[in-house]
Amino acid sequence: MTPPSGSAAAAGVPSRPLPSGSMKQTVYRILLSISLVHLLNDSIQSVIPAIFPILKNSMHLSYTQIGWISFAINFTASIMQPVVGMYTDRKPSPYMLPLGMASTLLGMLSLAFAPNYWTVLLSVVFVGLGSAAFHPEGSRVARMAAGPRRGLAQSIFQVGGNFGQSLAPIFTKLIFIPLGQFGAIWFTAVAGLAIMVQMYIASWYKGILAVTERTVKSADARSIDPERSSKVRFAIIVLILLVFCRSWYGAAIGSYYQFYLQHHYGISLERAQDFIFLFAVAGAVSTFFGGALADRFGRKNVIWFSMLGSAPLAILLPFVSLGWAYVLLVLIGVIILSSFSVTVVYAQELFPGKVGTVSGLIVGLAFGLGGVGALALGNLIDKFGLDTIMIVCGFLPLLGVLTFLLPSDKKIREWTKEA
């Protein structure tokens, strides 16, 4: 039964059935809530790279073994996100959100007491599964609450996650250096808070489904022209390659640049965390503005700028003084991560009605390719040395020239039609 129009409007629920993602107004309280949960979820996930220096010393791990830990969490999330997305596209599941966070809580509890390397690997798999359950449905909630401002809504959602990831060096500095591995126990409380907020979001989500159940399967009320399907497939492949380049560069900075700073400049581990934090925070801020700029100037244009605009700075980074490294890391973070939320919205426009699948694919790839990158880079560093690999990684953003092959925003609109 449809609620009265006054109470429905006040609650952010449409007074008549509307497809997901086509609400007339932007529901900011839900966007801010899902962004908060994204912050909490990715704060927990950032514990994994934050604890790398501690595990490396206490368990005497090689760079390759560190790479395997990063691979375990990121690859688990990347494999499962599209699976979760495909399932929830067919059967939206509001309570998938708190259930996924329960898996993350279990992983943190296990990590705090992990006695050996293999238990650490198992613990991070549980965290990866929780992340996989959260991201497709979180992106769907952001789409449902977006109203007409899809780029901004996705940015609000993603900025929480990117800011959460940026806290890894702070956790290393303030929690894991003084407390060691057992410091992970504090993040079970963070997971508990996230579960409470997710229950509130799930209740809203369930209410939306109650008034849209007749039309939820036709989310976005648009379909792709079958004659354009091959071009759409080519576009998504190009987009995946761009995500690949961005993720590998992010893995190089997030997982190994702290060791490069220690080795090349001779600074302490504590001070090295400040550099990684600057890069991550700059990226989190630009994630928010990137979506708003994409709504104004076009998604392809922002993707193009984020890749090629960061390339010359990334190439210079390994050769500059320590002072300039601060500056370049901030600029690179601002530029290269401005397209983080934009690539998700761009992919959703390519495949309207497949919000969960596409979000799981693109965000899952960001995690998975970052994990593959961390593993591959760890192996390469062990073979060729840290300095050499960091210099080579600086050239990765140059592959952003592939953006030229993406269809324009206008062309994508031509490929889709109103149902």
Side-chain angles (χ1 to χ4, degrees):
M1 183 175 179
T2 303
S5 57
S7 60
V13 178
S15 58
R16 60 184 180 84
L18 289 171
S20 171
S22 58
M23 296 181 68
K24 289 184 177 181
Q25 294 183 342
T26 305
V27 188
Y28 286 102
R29 62 182 177 82
I30 295 299
L31 289 176
L32 292 174
S33 297
I34 198 66
S35 182
L36 172 62
V37 174
H38 203 177
L39 186 154
L40 298 174
N41 180 86
D42 285 24
S43 294
I44 297 172
Q45 189 165 315
S46 72
V47 166
I48 309 307
I51 208 171
F52 282 169
I54 307 304
L55 296 176
K56 188 176 188 300
N57 292 330
S58 65
M59 296 185 180
H60 308 290
L61 305 181
S62 67
Y63 287 114
T64 299
Q65 288 175 307
I66 289 174
W68 274 112
I69 296 173
S70 183
F71 177 82
I73 183 171
N74 290 306
F75 192 70
T76 301
S78 73
I79 288 295
M80 293 305 298
Q81 279 195 45
V83 175
V84 172
M86 285 187 287
Y87 172 78
T88 56
D89 278 337
R90 294 192 299 269
K91 188 177 180 180
S93 306
Y95 292 98
M96 181 77 72
L97 294 166
L99 286 175
M101 188 56 66
S103 174
T104 298
L105 190 155
L106 179 62
M108 282 293 101
L109 185 63
S110 176
L111 180 62
F113 295 97
N116 54 50
Y117 175 66
W118 296 106
T119 310
V120 170
L121 284 176
L122 180 62
S123 301
V124 302
V125 165
F126 277 108
V127 177
L129 289 172
S131 181
F134 168 73
H135 282 92
E137 284 298 85
S139 189
R140 186 191 307 279
V141 168
R143 183 87 166 179
M144 292 172 72
R149 309 197 67 181
R150 292 177 176 177
L152 176 63
Q154 195 63 221
S155 288
I156 292 173
F157 171 62
Q158 297 293 352
V159 74
N162 282 8
F163 187 73
Q165 291 175 23
S166 75
L167 297 176
I170 300 301
F171 294 155
T172 302
K173 191 172 183 177
L174 300 182
I175 297 177
F176 294 112
I177 288 178
L179 298 180
Q181 179 182 336
F182 185 71
I185 196 70
W186 290 102
F187 294 90
T188 59
V190 176
L193 173 61
I195 289 172
M196 289 190 290
V197 179
Q198 285 175 319
M199 291 298 293
Y200 166 72
I201 296 170
S203 177
W204 176 86
Y205 184 172
K206 186 177 180 181
I208 292 293
L209 293 181
V211 297
T212 62
E213 60 181 347
R214 293 183 180 180
T215 54
V216 72
K217 292 183 179 180
S218 61
D220 293 301
R222 296 192 300 174
S223 60
I224 297 175
D225 185 341
E227 295 180 2
R228 306 293 186 183
S229 60
S230 62
K231 294 182 179 180
V232 169
R233 284 195 296 270
F234 177 76
I236 201 70
I237 290 171
V238 172
L239 192 65
I240 287 170
L241 288 173
L242 293 170
V243 171
F244 171 91
C245 298
R246 188 184 65 203
S247 297
W248 272 51
Y249 187 77
I253 299 298
S255 295
Y256 300 110
Y257 192 66
Q258 59 185 315
F259 301 115
Y260 178 82
L261 288 166
Q262 290 178 272
H263 171 73
H264 189 74
Y265 298 103
I267 66 174
S268 67
L269 175 61
E270 290 89 343
R271 190 179 176 193
Q273 305 312 307
D274 297 336
F275 288 80
I276 310 304
F277 179 68
L278 280 174
F279 172 80
V281 167
V285 172
S286 72
T287 296
F288 175 77
F289 290 106
L293 290 172
D295 283 340
R296 183 183 178 99
F297 297 108
R299 296 177 180 97
K300 180 179 177 179
N301 290 335
V302 172
I303 295 171
W304 181 281
F305 172 73
S306 77
M307 298 300 294
L308 293 184
S310 61
L313 303 177
I315 293 170
L316 282 174
L317 181 62
F319 304 102
V320 300
S321 67
L322 193 62
W324 276 106
Y326 275 114
V327 177
L328 290 188
L329 278 172
V330 170
L331 293 175
I332 294 169
V334 166
I335 297 171
I336 200 168
L337 289 176
S338 63
S339 65
F340 192 91
S341 63
V342 179
T343 51
V344 177
V345 178
Y346 187 94
Q348 290 173 347
E349 296 297 321
L350 282 171
F351 291 94
K354 298 292 182 181
V355 174
T357 303
V358 171
S359 300
L361 178 66
I362 296 299
V363 179
L365 277 172
F367 285 120
L369 293 176
V372 171
L375 175 59
L377 291 172
N379 277 276
L380 291 171
I381 290 169
D382 283 336
K383 290 181 180 179
F384 299 106
L386 189 57
D387 287 10
T388 299
I389 299 306
M390 293 306 300
I391 290 170
V392 171
C393 287
F395 290 87
L396 282 171
L398 280 177
L399 295 175
V401 70
L402 294 172
T403 308
F404 177 78
L405 301 175
L406 289 176
S408 66
D409 295 32
K410 181 180 179 181
K411 180 62 67 176
I412 294 176
R413 287 193 293 269
E414 291 174 0
W415 289 353
T416 58
K417 60 185 179 180
E418 295 298 328

